[in-house]
Amino acid sequence: MAAAPALRDSARAAAQGARQALGGSFAAICKWERERGRLRVLVNVGELAPGEQEFPDDETYPVHAFAEIVGFLHEQWAGGGEPSAWVEVAEGESGGDAADGPLVPPGGPGRVAALRRRGRGCCVVAPLVLHGRAWGELYVARRPGEPVFGRADADFATVLAAVTAAGIAQTERLAEARRLAFTDALTGLANRRAVDMRLDEALEQHRADGVVVSLVVCDLNGLKQVNDSQGHAVGDRLLERFGSVLSLCGALVPGTLAARLGGDEFCLLAVGPDSDEVVKVAGELCGRAAELDLGEGVAVGVASTGDPIGPVHSARRLFRLADAAQYRAKAAKSGGPVVAGRHGGADDPVVRLADAPEPSAGPERRRFRR
């Protein structure tokens, strides 16, 4: 589980290990989605019944069909007790009444029916508890005719579930750390680090296969005036609202990455669509930004390998071209995007500006980013 890159891989490792440890023919890990009132299967391993998949897209079960998830898995330890596993047995399977016999909670018709329907003889179900709350369950089953799980198996499954829950908690912490590393905290968009990584990958595709890569750079107009006259809280609200508009427009082109580069600078990175489609989205962005009741619209520059901008060997060049186009849009107070290369190719003033030596200093000159 520690080596797993994502939750589903971590869950698979745990289910496979628990199946082997308990001598089961099948195992699954489910998550309790409280807001939807259902158990969602994350992974199935071992002998799959017809219709079951290792990583199901949407295998869910309503909690009311398995009410023990609320009672036996949660309220049982609300008063200070400890969560523990239990056993379900299909009709016709012998279980015995010895002291080491199966621990079966009252009821459970949903699971009994599922055992019969899927050709399994018994199962042990153990709660997965994260941060003191029921998170989901570990489920291990055996074939009909094999020994029914006993109390010792249930106790062992409880221990395995605790180990699994610790692994899932670690996976979630690592996922959150990765998310924070590539996410802008204020807007929830991608951050500059995410753009740099995706752009480098995209340009490798461009060099290898000719995939079109387009960059839309946006500068939110009027943020300083809003901050100075109405306060930074209002300015932050403007950034958040524009971030939502950017995300909405980016969604018009599948696979587009919407990001905040820092301060009042944002961008869209599109990989695959032709440049005309991206320019159309940039125009939509300008229109929607102009309708915001805060700020003064947005200055937008576009640079795409699908336009005559010359060879793009690095992320730096594409950024310089998009920056230069955005600079022209701001200087002209353009209500629409300025697109590099569309007014003369290599002789386009935007392309010449991008290819000029970088300014050495001066707050009045726009710096070109990496």
Side-chain angles (χ1 to χ4, degrees), residues 45-244:
V45 299
E47 298 175 3
L48 306 185
E52 287 180 329
Q53 298 175 314
E54 183 178 30
F55 296 112
D57 292 329
D58 193 27
E59 184 182 349
T60 60
Y61 302 94
V63 169
H64 64 73
F66 304 99
E68 68 276 3
I69 188 71
V70 178
F72 205 76
L73 289 190
H74 185 69
E75 295 172 359
Q76 193 77 354
W77 70 82
E82 293 294 330
S84 57
W86 73 93
V87 172
E88 297 279 3
V89 182
E91 289 182 3
E93 296 290 318
S94 58
D97 297 319
D100 193 42
L103 172 65
V104 183
R111 293 189 192 276
V112 171
L115 285 169
R116 288 199 308 270
R117 186 171 63 252
R118 291 176 175 165
R120 294 169 184 140
C122 65
C123 67
V124 59
V125 185
L128 298 172
V129 182
L130 271 69
H131 315 301
R133 300 180 67 190
W135 182 91
E137 63 179 39
L138 168 66
Y139 174 103
V140 181
R142 286 177 178 167
R143 305 179 190 90
E146 293 186 342
V148 171
F149 289 114
R151 186 175 299 275
D153 295 311
D155 290 342
F156 186 30
T158 300
V159 175
L160 291 175
V163 174
T164 297
I168 289 173
Q170 175 69 3
T171 300
E172 290 190 338
R173 283 194 294 269
L174 290 174
E176 178 65 7
R178 285 192 292 269
R179 186 190 69 80
L180 292 174
F182 294 100
T183 303
D184 176 63
L186 178 64
T187 63
L189 300 175
N191 62 13
R192 179 56 189 263
R193 183 182 293 110
V195 173
D196 285 343
M197 289 186 63
R198 181 71 183 103
L199 184 53
D200 286 340
E201 293 169 358
L203 289 176
E204 285 184 13
Q205 291 180 268
H206 170 68
R207 289 189 289 269
D209 305 316
V211 173
V212 175
V213 180
S214 303
L215 188 64
V216 180
V217 172
C218 318
D219 194 290
L220 189 57
N221 297 326
L223 177 63
K224 184 179 186 304
Q225 289 85 344
V226 170
N227 283 335
D228 291 345
S229 62
Q230 301 184 56
H232 286 272
V234 178
D236 285 350
R237 189 160 71 247
L238 172 58
L239 290 168
E240 290 179 278
R241 292 187 62 187
F242 179 71
S244 298

